[in-house]
Amino acid sequence: QVQLVESGGGLVQPGGSLRLSCAASGSAFSTYAMGWYRQAPGQQRDLIATISSGGSTNYADSVKGRFTISRDNAKNTVYLQMNSLKPEDTAVYYCRSSRGPNNYWGQGTQVTVSS
């Protein structure tokens, strides 16, 4: 069992930056692929960034060049650095860990981009 706790969300002005963190409990964090998703009101939950156990990354086109996913296996934490934020980035952001058939979700953290 893996428990995930997101933090770092909040209110930011357009063009600003935030860094989200997702802390994982349990062992073998380094063997899990990690992902960040977001869900805006009335919308489906969308995948925006992933990082493999080996450190390979992928991004949705909507965030490519603005967001960076990274992981610190010593701290059992995955990060999402978000720059040049836009109002359309407003959503609840979730992290997910995956290994084989096992998937775990955090509770989410709200990000609001508004002036």
Side-chain angles (χ1 to χ4, degrees):
Q1 187 80 7
V2 175
Q3 291 185 325
L4 303 172
V5 179
E6 300 98 334
S7 61
L11 173 65
V12 63
Q13 292 187 341
S17 298
L18 281 175
R19 188 176 81 154
L20 305 183
S21 300
C22 173
S25 66
S27 60
F29 171 80
S30 63
T31 68
Y32 280 80
M34 301 297 296
W36 283 99
Y37 294 69
R38 68 185 181 188
Q39 187 169 21
Q43 304 290 322
Q44 65 182 17
R45 189 174 298 187
D46 291 328
L47 174 64
I48 57 171
T50 62
I51 185 165
S52 71
S53 58
S56 298
T57 59
N58 281 289
Y59 299 92
D61 288 343
S62 59
V63 306
K64 199 172 294 184
R66 300 188 298 124
F67 291 10
T68 302
I69 188 171
S70 61
R71 65 190 300 159
D72 185 337
N73 291 333
K75 295 182 178 179
N76 279 17
T77 301
V78 63
Y79 303 98
L80 186 69
Q81 177 67 43
M82 306 187 295
N83 299 327
S84 302
L85 282 161
K86 306 174 182 180
E88 51 263 43
D89 294 318
T90 295
V92 179
Y93 284 70
Y94 299 89
C95 69
R96 174 184 173 185
S97 65
S98 303
R99 187 177 67 183
N102 300 315
N103 296 284
Y104 303 96
W105 291 90
Q107 82 291 347
T109 185
Q110 176 71 45
V111 172
T112 302
V113 184
S114 175
S115 55

